[in-house]
Amino acid sequence: MRKLLINISLFFLIAIIIGEIVVRVTHAMSDIPQRTIDEHGIQKYIPNQEGYWKGGDHKWLINKLGWPGVLPESNKNLIMVIGDSFIENFMNPNECHQSAYLKSNMNDYNFMEASRSGVSFIEAMEITKQMDSLNPIHSLIYLDDDDFYESITQIKPMSDITQLDIETNTIKYGEMKSPGLKKILYTWKLMYYFYNRFSLGSLFQPETLNDNSKVEEPEFTTEVIKLIDYIKQNYVTINKTLVFHPNSKKSFIEICKSAGFNTILLDSSNDDSWTFDYDSHWTCYGHKRAAEQISNHLLNSNNQGILNNFNIIKK
């Protein structure tokens, strides 16, 4: 009996080792970068990581500042690109990121991305404070409807996302869920494969993917107005442009406009699909089209000379 148990144990050990090798060699699961929380309460990634996206066709990169993507060669005429998993963009190679397309359209400017899956509107504004040390001349903040809902504790309380309590006007910084267990899960590729393949539970929510389902709720206009009022009173907004995803709520855009924000509404109508068939994130084509619209908006002299105005301010 003892010999049988030993043989069974050896068989499972060998099977686990072989399975782990196969999953890693074939890149059956995406590599997941490890996160940390900095001294400002912002969740970002441990610097200088790299790994493969599912399938192994391309690698993602975490730079020395703890953000995904390649840093610009210079911070001269720097424009920040801030957002959630759409900007984090692990599913596409680095040459398909917003910063790369924007740079190709606006060669006189440099672009740096600061992004992470789960970034809410209020956290994006917190990130802009941290980026002020780089002296950017402008910041682009990419938003959809959920980024408003997820910013407000009273609408959608989420302990792992930075939110504003609009009753007390206090920010509650997000906390990482089960970081130790997640580290084991993401490191043990075979277990991570089985978890995703067979839906073993909801304890581990992959940190690089957003739940992109829309909130089927009223518009919460009053709450959103309070959020915008708080942002206007506590952050510099004159050198920020809010970039709204296609099909964003017009009422939210109008609230932001009335508060004095610069806004861009991306338009994906009468066009090939911007998104993957299996996912709502943008393909390389979607990122390219978004960057074209943003570049045209920023450079168009008839559009209130946005960048020209801010360059004058910087001087």
Side-chain angles (χ1 to χ4, degrees):
M1 184 66 179
R2 180 183 177 187
K3 184 176 181 180
L4 176 63
L5 291 175
I6 292 175
N7 289 336
I8 292 173
S9 299
L10 286 173
F11 172 80
F12 278 109
L13 178 60
I14 293 171
I16 289 172
I17 293 173
I18 293 174
E20 184 74 12
I21 293 173
V22 170
V23 170
R24 287 177 179 270
V25 169
T26 62
H27 301 290
M29 296 306 304
S30 301
D31 296 324
I32 307 296
Q34 299 298 314
R35 294 189 186 188
T36 186
I37 297 179
D38 69 14
E39 66 274 18
H40 305 290
I42 301 297
Q43 288 189 51
K44 55 202 307 187
Y45 293 107
I46 296 174
N48 302 318
Q49 299 181 72
E50 63 179 18
Y52 283 94
W53 186 249
K54 185 176 181 179
D57 292 332
H58 68 271
K59 298 179 75 172
W60 48 258
L61 169 72
I62 304 299
N63 58 50
K64 66 180 181 180
L65 297 183
W67 298 114
V70 179
L71 292 174
E73 295 181 1
S74 169
N75 289 341
K76 181 181 178 182
N77 292 327
L78 182 65
I79 297 178
M80 296 302 307
V81 178
I82 301 173
D84 57 13
S85 57
F86 279 80
I87 305 304
E88 177 185 68
N89 195 19
F90 287 144
M91 61 287 301
N92 290 316
N94 287 323
E95 58 265 27
C96 289
H97 278 226
Q98 280 291 287
S99 57
Y101 285 124
L102 288 166
K103 177 64 176 177
S104 67
N105 297 333
M106 304 170 60
N107 195 47
D108 291 335
Y109 299 88
N110 291 294
F111 297 85
M112 176 185 160
E113 297 180 5
S115 61
R116 195 203 71 245
S117 177
V119 166
S120 61
F121 186 10
I122 192 66
E123 185 172 13
M125 296 305 298
E126 283 288 293
I127 291 172
T128 64
K129 280 186 175 181
Q130 190 178 113
M131 296 298 100
D132 282 347
S133 61
L134 300 176
N135 297 316
I137 62 170
H138 201 67
S139 294
L140 300 169
I141 300 174
Y142 292 66
L143 300 170
D144 66 8
D145 298 341
D146 281 348
D147 294 319
F148 288 83
Y149 297 128
E150 292 175 357
S151 291
I152 303 172
T153 303
Q154 282 71 18
I155 296 178
K156 196 174 181 181
M158 303 174 73
S159 61
D160 59 334
I161 290 180
T162 296
Q163 297 185 308
L164 174 68
D165 185 324
I166 58 174
E167 293 181 357
T168 61
N169 274 347
T170 56
I171 291 180
K172 297 183 176 180
Y173 294 98
E175 300 177 354
M176 292 188 291
K177 290 182 177 179
S178 307
L181 294 176
K182 282 182 177 177
K183 185 174 183 178
I184 294 172
L185 179 69
Y186 298 151
T187 302
W188 189 0
K189 301 295 184 184
L190 182 62
M191 181 59 69
Y192 187 35
Y193 172 80
F194 284 130
Y195 160 73
N196 284 274
R197 180 67 176 81
F198 299 108
S199 301
L200 297 179
S202 59
L203 174 61
F204 304 100
Q205 183 66 33
E207 292 181 324
T208 57
L209 298 178
N210 267 351
D211 176 7
N212 293 293
S213 58
K214 291 294 181 181
V215 179
E216 297 298 332
E217 295 284 356
E219 291 191 358
F220 297 105
T221 302
T222 300
E223 289 84 350
V224 170
I225 289 174
K226 289 182 179 180
L227 169 68
I228 298 302
D229 285 343
Y230 177 89
I231 289 174
K232 189 174 180 180
Q233 293 170 16
N234 291 275
Y235 303 89
V236 176
T237 59
I238 189 171
N239 61 344
K240 311 283 190 302
T241 293
L242 308 182
V243 180
F244 287 87
H245 287 221
N247 304 315
S248 293
K249 279 187 170 60
K250 300 296 192 298
S251 59
F252 289 0
I253 299 174
E254 291 305 316
I255 291 172
C256 293
K257 281 184 177 180
S258 65
F261 286 90
N262 303 298
T263 64
I264 300 173
L265 173 60
L266 298 174
D267 182 9
S268 61
S269 62
N270 301 319
D271 203 347
D272 294 334
S273 175
W274 286 31
T275 63
F276 294 99
D277 292 336
Y278 57 87
D279 191 285
S280 64
H281 290 92
W282 298 336
T283 61
C284 287
Y285 176 80
H287 275 280
K288 182 178 181 181
R289 294 291 293 120
E292 287 173 354
Q293 293 181 29
I294 294 166
S295 300
N296 289 337
H297 184 96
L298 294 178
L299 294 176
N300 188 347
S301 60
N302 294 326
N303 191 39
Q304 301 178 358
I306 289 178
L307 285 182
N308 289 332
N309 289 342
F310 293 126
N311 281 333
I312 292 172
I313 290 173
K314 293 302 295 183
K315 292 176 183 178

